[in-house]
Amino acid sequence: MGLAAAYHALPDAERILVLEQARFGHGGSSSGGGTRQFRIQYAEEYMARLVLDSIPLWDDLERHRVTEHPLRSQVGSLWFGDPDVDSSEGQIKKAIEVMDRVGIEYEPLKMPEIERRFRFVGLPAAYEGFFQPRGGTIHVPGTVDTLVTLLRSSGRATLLAGVEVNAVVPGEEGVRLETAGGTIRADKVVLAAGPYTNRLLRGLGFQLDLVIWQMVSCYFRKRHSRVDYPSWFAFEPPAPHYDPGLYYGFEEVDWSHPGYIRVAPAFALHHLSDPRERQPRPEPMDLWLTARWVREHMPGLEPEPRFASTCLAALPADPAKKMFLDFLPASRRVVVFTAGWAFKFVPLIGKILADLAVRGETRYDVSPFRIETGGEEAPLEEALAAPRGRRLPF
Ligand code: BEZ
């Protein structure tokens, strides 16, 4: 998001400095692995419209891509699940209603056809779903490399990795960034620091109501070269003793473990309030449940999880809030973005962040992502105590 904001600020900003505490492409991203899902369907119309708005900006980035493979594949997005479970019914049926209203094409599917066409097995006959043909998979390293290359070749952006910012201090004349190497002064600042956001805001006496999920990701070896899938998401009912029942996966991609397919849980046993609580290894329970799902429903894959990794997703504690995208309450010189899963919006949110930082306004409706102060936000304790993982991804 920070790179995309810098890219969209290029035409207007005099000089741009991008600071990254880790390496570009290896920061605190919110899912592991080299892929993210691109889907247009949403249970909320404003979100579906934002994805549609992001498509021309993805196309622009695609024209500049530095990788052999497209930044966004269009293998389609398959959603299926139990229509009798409130939450999944909510997601699948509401997404269908939104697609009908907005005029987004999709193919409704019953379970026998889902199993036959997409080679899942052992799912209850009552499950239903749909296939949206314009969904697909995002090439994460390709997107990051493209943005880094565009910024470096612009001659007007400086990119520094390995720089940890300790504090962001807005004032009348500008913003001070305190780093171990000294103080940096900026006219405007875009803060896209995910789980590190509250650490940066500490000194301001202000915190966003965020909960951090430590997600796992892994890949499974294909049994035959012909095995493949679209990008997909399964909404199963939660099972007792912690199985939130939400799994997702991708097609095989050449740029990330060819011969293997990524399948991951869309839930996390570990919910944190500070990134320093991060566990050193992928949670075995989350991996085990994913491997069991693969063993029971994806016979084309060997059920041993491979290339497991973890990452942190910083979600607004209020489940109705998809992301924070707003000025800091204390200063319009600082624009903040954080969300759980928003890679599909990278170029659009980059543009919005640049609009807000450079011009102070944007033509996109960001009111659902406002930072409320003194409102009735769900307290963090409540979010941390909520049943693990029954929050649906947005
Ligand atoms: C999404 O489609 O937004 C999504 C899918 C899987 C995990 C998290 C988010």
Side-chain angles (χ1 to χ4, degrees), residues 31 37 39 42 79 215 233 248 266 341 344 393-394:
S31 317
Q37 298 210 335
R39 58 165 163 119
Y42 262 92
W79 270 22
M215 312 283 295
F233 198 105
Y248 66 103
W341 307 285
K344 60 184 84 63
F394 71 79

Side-chain angles (χ1 to χ4, degrees), residues 233-393:
F233 198 105
F235 300 87
E236 293 226 76
H241 314 302
Y242 182 64
D243 176 4
L246 301 167
Y247 299 91
Y248 66 103
F250 299 83
E251 80 270 31
E252 180 187 14
V253 293
D254 288 353
W255 67 86
S256 185
H257 307 302
Y260 294 78
I261 295 255
R262 181 171 170 225
V263 181
F267 53 83
L269 183 63
H270 290 295
H271 293 187
L272 330 170
S273 53
D274 187 291
R276 280 173 305 189
E277 297 159 20
R278 185 175 191 155
Q279 308 290 312
R281 60 187 183 132
E283 168 53 41
M285 186 57 139
D286 292 345
L287 288 176
W288 185 83
L289 288 168
T290 308
R292 185 177 71 178
W293 204 89
V294 166
R295 190 170 58 244
E296 290 177 358
H297 305 298
M298 302 180 78
L301 303 180
E302 291 178 3
E304 285 78 42
R306 308 283 297 274
F307 312 112
S309 60
T310 72
C311 54
L312 301 179
L315 319 172
D318 173 1
K321 192 112 188 165
K322 307 295 180 196
M323 43 185 147
F324 288 117
L325 175 49
D326 198 358
F327 298 102
L328 209 56
S331 169
R332 290 177 69 86
R333 290 184 180 276
V334 182
V335 187
V336 183
F337 165 79
T338 180
W341 307 285
F343 211 95
K344 60 184 84 63
F345 299 110
V346 158
L348 177 68
I349 289 175
K351 176 161 174 40
I352 293 172
L353 288 167
D355 285 348
L356 294 176
V358 175
R359 275 188 281 281
E361 59 183 18
T362 182
R363 71 182 172 86
Y364 300 97
D365 179 12
V366 289
S367 56
F369 315 125
R370 208 168 274 151
I371 297 173
E372 318 281 350
T373 46
E376 293 196 3
E377 289 178 31
L380 179 60
E381 294 70 36
E382 214 174 277
L384 287 169
R388 292 293 189 244
R390 270 323 286 178
R391 174 172 175 157
L392 295 161

Side-chain angles (χ1 to χ4, degrees), residues 102-173:
V102 178
I104 298 163
E105 69 285 19
Y106 68 94
E107 195 183 344
L109 295 167
K110 301 277 185 210
M111 208 54 221
E113 190 174 4
I114 294 175
E115 290 199 338
R116 187 175 46 75
R117 260 174 64 184
F118 301 103
R119 312 284 169 88
F120 292 95
V121 299
L123 290 161
Y127 279 17
E128 290 176 11
F130 61 82
F131 182 72
Q132 204 294 317
R134 282 194 285 156
T137 293
I138 302 169
H139 186 328
V140 173
T143 305
V144 173
D145 289 352
T146 297
L147 287 167
V148 166
T149 304
L150 286 168
L151 285 164
R152 290 217 164 106
S153 62
S154 74
R156 282 192 303 116
T158 305
L159 275 62
L160 296 179
V163 179
E164 198 176 325
V165 176
N166 297 317
V168 177
V169 189
E172 289 290 307
E173 307 290 317

